Amino acid sequence: MKNLLALMLLSGILFSCKKKTEEETTPEETTTNPTTQKQFPDTAWTMTGTGPHLIFKFKFDSTQVRLDNLGNPSTIPSGHGACSPILNQMASHYVELAQNDLTAFGAGKVLYHAPETTKGGTTAIDFVKSTVVREGVAFYAIPITPDLAGTYKWLRLSLSYQNYDIPYKANAIPGNHIGTGTVASFVGYNTYVERYKIKDNVHVPSASVGGPTVNHLQGYWGFGTYIPGYGYYPADGQAPAGSTT
């Protein structure tokens, strides 16, 4: 139990990549009405039960050391470029505590598996039932009970969604082709999403990617930016298979 309490004090393992700014934007609040169908994900986890909880929150840090797929420090190859996005929101699909390096996937203590659906055909993450949070907001919490006691070396967490700001230089975008935009990135294995928000703008998957009533493979993205003299410019697309991991 000592190990579990130590883990609780960490409030979960927290991930990259956001620089601190002097002024935070207003969170996108989600309200629900029991008589209407939910249209957007919740923006905070609703805790149940009384007593102590193990609470998970994200920590965004764009100055964090860049790591490779094995967790080792990596460098940008010669002739390549990269940027550190400013993270606005994230969502998780899966949370598991692993006892050691050799613990097989699913053989540890699985704490959370996000809701899924077959509305789009095969099984996919149901985006509207996800919990999409900003930094420091609980995305999952579970009461601490005796069955959680144990010694765990690793926290396995699978992300399903990221929302972040990036600088861009793109001839396909109107105006002077240079600016800052926001990306909604669906990084889960398969996502059913009918609509989502970028800032205060509602996006619906376009016909070019199959529309809003089909599953979208890992790497579906939406983009939005405000262009002086033009207004709001939206776009979306699908990353090539295997390019998002």
Side-chain angles (χ1 to χ4, degrees), residues 54-85:
L54 179 60
I55 301 172
F56 294 85
K57 301 177 181 180
F58 290 118
K59 174 68 176 178
F60 303 149
D61 181 9
S62 63
T63 65
Q64 180 177 310
V65 175
R66 190 179 296 272
L67 305 177
D68 62 19
N69 287 342
L70 298 177
N72 300 312
S74 67
T75 57
I76 305 301
S78 176
H80 292 68
C83 69
S84 296

Side-chain angles (χ1 to χ4, degrees), residues 2 25 35 46 72-74 133 138 143 173 208:
K2 289 182 179 179
T25 56
T35 62
T46 301
N72 300 312
S74 67
V133 300
I173 297 178
S208 65

Side-chain angles (χ1 to χ4, degrees), residues 141-183:
I142 184 173
I144 296 178
T145 55
D147 66 303
L148 286 179
T151 300
Y152 306 98
K153 183 176 181 179
W154 299 109
L155 172 67
R156 289 179 175 145
L157 187 146
S158 174
L159 293 179
S160 58
Y161 175 78
Q162 297 174 318
N163 180 296
Y164 51 87
D165 296 336
I166 58 169
Y168 69 82
K169 182 178 181 181
N171 291 336
I173 297 178
N176 64 3
H177 316 302
I178 298 174
T180 300
T182 301
V183 176

Side-chain angles (χ1 to χ4, degrees), residues 28 41 58 87 89-93 125 127 130-133 158-164 182-188 191 193 196-199 220 222:
E28 298 167 2
F58 290 118
L87 261 292
Q89 294 175 305
M90 274 189 182
S92 172
H93 172 245
I125 298 168
F127 180 68
S130 300
T131 302
V132 178
V133 300
S158 174
L159 293 179
S160 58
Y161 175 78
Q162 297 174 318
N163 180 296
Y164 51 87
T182 301
V183 176
S185 177
F186 294 83
V187 293
T191 304
V193 50
Y196 54 96
K197 285 185 178 181
I198 293 182
K199 304 298 186 184
Y220 169 66

Side-chain angles (χ1 to χ4, degrees), residues 34-52:
T35 62
T36 60
Q37 184 177 1
K38 187 176 177 182
Q39 295 193 42
F40 298 101
D42 290 335
T43 54
W45 182 264
T46 301
M47 286 193 286
T48 59
T50 59

